[in-house]
Amino acid sequence: MSQEKHKIQFSFLGRIYLFEIFRGLTITLRHLLRNLTHRKQMPTIEYPDERREFSPRFRGRHRLKKRDDGTVKCVACHLCATVCPAQCITIEATEHPDPEIEKMPERYEIDILRCIFCGLCVEACPVEALEMTGEYELSDFTRQSLIYDKKYLLDPPSNLPEKKES
Ligand code: SF4
Ligand code: SF4
């Protein structure tokens, strides 16, 4: 049998196809080499050792603010719960010990599994008692632990530097 019979024959279209594959591989190789030699310019980061700095406008986990005496600033007006499109805020009001302040929340809960991080609750608050922090590590093991209560919202754990004021 002659050697001519074992030769692989490519049609014109087949030859173009192979050419495109090699062209694609060349581009991939070029990017690989460039990334290896310019590691600092690579868009990926070594999370969680490295963390991105987010915009001051980033809307992460909520926090209830405190007064100077350490008590909750919220006056339980229910505006945040009313405006919330996801209906994930639950408030039960009680009388404030200070007669100058009408009410305070006995119970204040945000179901973060339902929250869409729109920030409307923060905008609606007339006393700026609620804010959204830069915290985005919100995973947990149970559904119940993702319903943040008043105690948690007043002193949430933080893995990030404080959000800068804009
Ligand atoms: S950020 Fe939006 S969805 Fe989440 S609690 Fe506030 S108003 Fe509701
Ligand atoms: S709008 Fe502000 S003051 Fe009113 S219940 Fe919500 S957090 Fe409290």
Side-chain angles (χ1 to χ4, degrees):
M1 203 181 284
S2 72
Q3 279 190 340
E4 284 293 309
K5 283 193 175 173
H6 292 288
K7 254 183 155 177
I8 301 170
Q9 295 291 319
F10 289 108
S11 66
F12 176 67
L13 281 176
R15 285 200 295 272
I16 292 177
Y17 178 69
L18 280 178
F19 172 74
E20 290 301 326
I21 286 181
F22 284 121
R23 203 161 69 96
L25 285 173
T26 312
I27 292 169
T28 306
L29 193 63
R30 196 176 69 222
H31 281 283
L32 174 69
L33 290 173
R34 197 186 63 193
N35 287 343
L36 285 176
T37 51
H38 297 81
R39 286 181 70 87
K40 287 204 172 143
Q41 289 164 23
M42 280 175 71
T44 49
I45 57 165
E46 300 280 340
Y47 180 83
D49 298 329
E50 265 183 86
R51 285 158 197 270
R52 276 199 202 292
E53 191 166 323
F54 285 94
S55 154
R57 295 168 61 195
F58 177 78
R59 295 193 292 263
R61 186 173 54 207
H62 307 67
R63 176 166 56 200
L64 277 172
K65 293 191 201 166
K66 296 178 188 171
R67 296 174 196 278
D68 291 341
D69 62 4
T71 59
V72 62
K73 203 173 172 188
C74 170
V75 292
C77 68
H78 285 78
L79 277 178
C80 53
T82 307
V83 80
C84 176
Q87 299 184 350
C88 57
I89 303 180
T90 308
I91 303 167
E92 283 172 19
T94 186
E95 276 185 29
H96 199 283
D98 182 349
E100 295 277 307
I101 305 164
E102 197 180 335
K103 290 183 292 178
M104 60 179 269
E106 171 82 62
R107 178 182 170 208
Y108 191 105
E109 284 179 1
I110 298 180
D111 184 344
I112 213 71
L113 290 171
R114 293 177 67 174
C115 176
I116 55 170
F117 297 90
C118 63
L120 286 178
C121 50
V122 175
E123 283 182 37
C125 182
V127 293
E128 296 184 359
L130 189 64
E131 67 175 352
M132 297 184 90
T133 66
E135 296 286 339
Y136 54 85
E137 294 179 334
L138 309 178
S139 57
D140 216 319
F141 293 101
T142 63
R143 284 179 175 271
Q144 193 56 39
S145 57
L146 288 161
I147 299 174
Y148 299 150
D149 62 10
K150 187 175 92 177
K151 188 168 174 289
Y152 184 91
L153 287 167
L154 280 167
D155 288 302
S158 177
N159 294 317
L160 296 175
E162 285 292 303
K163 193 169 135 182
K164 291 182 202 130
E165 294 295 328
S166 51

